[in-house]
Structures are given as structure tokens and as C-alpha cells.
Amino acid sequence: MSTLVTNIGELVTWQQDRPVLDRAAMVLEHGTVVWVGPAVDAPQADTAYDVGGRAVIPGFVDSHSHLVFAGDRAEEFTARMAGEAYAAGGIRTTVRATRAATDEQLTSHVARLVQEMRRQGTTTVEIKSGYGLSVLDEARSLAVARQFTEETTFLGAHVVPEGTTPEDYVDLVTGPMLAAAAPHARWIDVFCETGAFDGDQARAVLEAGRAAGLPGRMHANQLGEGPGVRLACELGLTAVDHCTYLSDADVDALAQSGTIATLLPGVEFSTKHPFPDARALLDAGVSIAIATDCNPGSCFTSSMPFCLALAVREMGLTPTEALDAATRGGARALARDDVGTLTPGSSADFTVLDAPNHLHLAYRPGVPLVQETWLAGRRL
């Protein structure tokens, strides 16, 4: 059955010749977009749905989140707001709570956060493990995540857990833990940072993942300059995330390699670190994405609209560039061409805004503008 979505005040498609259409319509069939164009030219369909002149945008593609966890770290956040510095070691607090939680508790918690995301227009979400840090707990974390998305990422190399050495833990991550996690994961990730894993250890993790069929992702240059971004570019990773502290050589490597810089402005909001200069990255020819990094420690927000508004206010992007990074950019960071756009052949994942155009996402920060979220042609 086909559905005509009509009376769209503004339709963001990201088509090369017509990225944004006014007074538009869209035809959906079997969960896929089959036609977009001016409303006056719309073909017949089995049913019609009138959005009342509102704007329609592609569903947000959140390419970086950590939703499988238990407990919270509100006290740690409060301490940071009072001046305490963020450090990677706080992850271990969440590890203890997550290991103690049941599968049912973890599943319920992820379901609640995914629903939060859906209500705010996110239709595709990547979910990492990383709060288990044992063979059993990493595998079960990924099994929980796989109930909600195909974009699951094995992040056993988040930090070194208590009671072991970095060398022994890397051996565990690249051996028995990887074997247990791989059936539930699409990607592998590593936190290459002071207090986590150095460049050689990160390389070992990513190369082991590649040998097991998992392409790599990386957390890098969040807390300071380091080897992570250039290592990601050298290895040809699809994306490298955070990119808060970049040298000129890092920027050049990103531009030349095509590795996407996934920026996480909610983290800078929550940690009081400087915001990355997205304007400079775009001007240098770097492809960027925006994601939430929803997690209990450094950024407990599930709101892509909030992160988009921060990117405009604090990182030098225009509202249109920020929306592109939060939709099409996120899709590229996940090596996807079926989401993040509204063009014939793409999945019918979109958001109806209670606004006349997409500019209002940054213009009215904090306002719940998402009126409806559609996933594969179905209104949620």
C-alpha cells in the first residue's frame, strides 16, 4: 500500500539538485520513499496523510551512543559543574552497576532511552557496549543492544578494569572477549586516550577486530591531543569520534583520508571542555557527523535537537550544516546510504516538525518541536 505525505511546508531531502523543497510531498511504499517533489505534481497513492504545512526532515542518525548501562553518575556531573575535571576512570563506577544488573533491567533501561530518542526524532541509533568489561558482560550487553538496532559496537576496550594490567586486558579483549562479542556486533571500537588505551594498544584492538570481520571505530582526542585521530586515518576507519583537541596534522589527516569526524557537542557541554571548531573542519574539507554520545558519565542526553543547537551556537555551523551532520553525516559515519536522506530508494524514516522549516531546530533550542517520528513508513 502506498501513502502520499502531502502539504509539507518544507521538505529536506538532501537530493543533490534539490536538497530542500517548499510546498512538497512524498510517496511511501513498503517502508521506502518512492517519490519526492512539489505537492502539485504528486502522483496518486492508496492513502494520503496531510502534515498541515509543517516541515519534514530525515530522521536523525545518532552514530555514537552508550545505552547499555545501569545506575547514574549525577553526583559526578554535579562535581564537574563545581570545577572538578572529567577523567576516563569514572567509567569504572558504571561498570560495577552494570555487572550487577540483570538482563531484564538492562533491556528495560535501553528501551526507555530508545523511546526518548524516538520522541526527539532519532530513527537510527548506534549502541556500544563498554560497561561490562568481562567476557560475559560485554557479550550480554551487545545481545541486549541488538534487540534495538543492527548498529551495535563492541567497546570492550573502553578502560582497563580493576584488577588487571593493560597488557593482560588487551589480550583478553582481542581474544576470548572478541570471540564472544563478535556474533552480536557490527563494529569494534577503542578509547584511545590518556587513562584508557595508547596508540599501540588501540592498533592491536582494531586490527584484531578487522581480522574477526568487525570494521573499526575510535574514540580519540577527547581529553587532549594524542595519536588517535591520525591512527584512525591511517587505518582507514569510517569515523573517529570526539575530535575535541586537534592539531593541524590531525585536520590534514582527516581531510586527506576521508575519515569522518564525529563531533559530540553534548560532551563538551557536560564536561566543560572546549567545543571543537566544526567550521574549521568543514572549511578544511573534513566530513563531519553530529551524535549525542548518550552515556551516564560525560553526556547523559538523548536529544539530537539539543546537540544540533549546540553545534550551531558553539561550533560555527549554520543550522542547515548542523542538520546535515545529524542526518546524512551520521549515516555516512555508519557506512549507510539508506538512511539520513529522503530520496527515492531510501528508508521512509522521517520526522515531522511543529515548525515551518528546519531552522527552528536551532532557533528554538530546548523546545519539543518533534511532532511525529516515522520509521520505515510507519508513524510511531
Side-chain angles (χ1 to χ4, degrees), residues 118-149:
R118 297 277 189 256
R119 289 195 298 270
Q120 297 173 91
T122 296
T123 51
T124 301
V125 58
E126 180 262 14
I127 302 176
K128 304 178 191 296
S129 65
Y131 293 122
L133 308 190
S134 70
V135 173
L136 171 64
D137 290 300
E138 284 296 297
R140 77 185 183 109
S141 293
L142 287 163
V144 167
R146 182 52 69 89
Q147 297 176 55
F148 300 92
T149 182

Side-chain angles (χ1 to χ4, degrees), residues 229-255:
V229 165
R230 275 169 284 171
L231 176 60
C233 296
E234 175 196 334
L235 295 176
L237 302 192
T238 302
V240 56
D241 301 3
H242 286 290
C243 301
T244 307
Y245 294 90
L246 298 177
S247 66
D248 290 344
D250 293 327
V251 176
D252 288 344
L254 286 165

